[in-house]
Amino acid sequence: TRYWRDWSSDVRSSEQIARLHVDHDHETDLVRGLLCLPCNRAIGLLRDDPEVARRAAEYLTMPVQERRIRLVG
């Protein structure tokens, strides 16, 4: 469901979003909140798993020098 209001996404609250999508738990069908489409898709791609989301956030905040980079080839 789309809402055409000038509201903020529950994830990107600092940005004004014109279209919000109802986010729901796929196991219970309960509504969790309103998200912009990119945030809603990102959560889906992270398999609705808070641990995967935490690891992704840690990766994004980790200094490049501390990352373990493996080159294949």
Side-chain angles (χ1 to χ4, degrees), residues 62-69:
M62 182 186 309
V64 175
Q65 306 88 305
E66 293 179 20
R67 293 185 187 156
R68 291 177 285 160
I69 300 173

Side-chain angles (χ1 to χ4, degrees), residues 6-18 20 34-36 39:
D6 191 22
W7 290 338
S8 295
S9 170
D10 285 343
V11 173
R12 298 197 293 177
S13 59
S14 63
E15 297 182 37
Q16 293 297 308
I17 310 294
L20 292 176
L34 298 173
L35 299 175
C36 63
C39 289

Side-chain angles (χ1 to χ4, degrees), residues 3-64:
Y3 292 89
W4 295 82
R5 302 284 300 261
D6 191 22
W7 290 338
S8 295
S9 170
D10 285 343
V11 173
R12 298 197 293 177
S13 59
S14 63
E15 297 182 37
Q16 293 297 308
I17 310 294
R19 285 189 220 176
L20 292 176
H21 299 259
V22 175
D23 176 49
H24 70 283
D25 185 304
H26 290 266
E27 291 181 17
T28 65
D29 276 341
L30 293 175
V31 172
R32 292 188 287 213
L34 298 173
L35 299 175
C36 63
L37 184 58
C39 289
N40 198 17
R41 285 185 177 163
I43 288 173
L45 290 170
L46 295 171
R47 300 183 315 261
D48 295 351
D49 186 332
E51 183 56 34
V52 175
R54 271 191 283 284
R55 288 196 311 261
E58 287 174 11
Y59 171 80
L60 290 173
T61 58
M62 182 186 309
V64 175

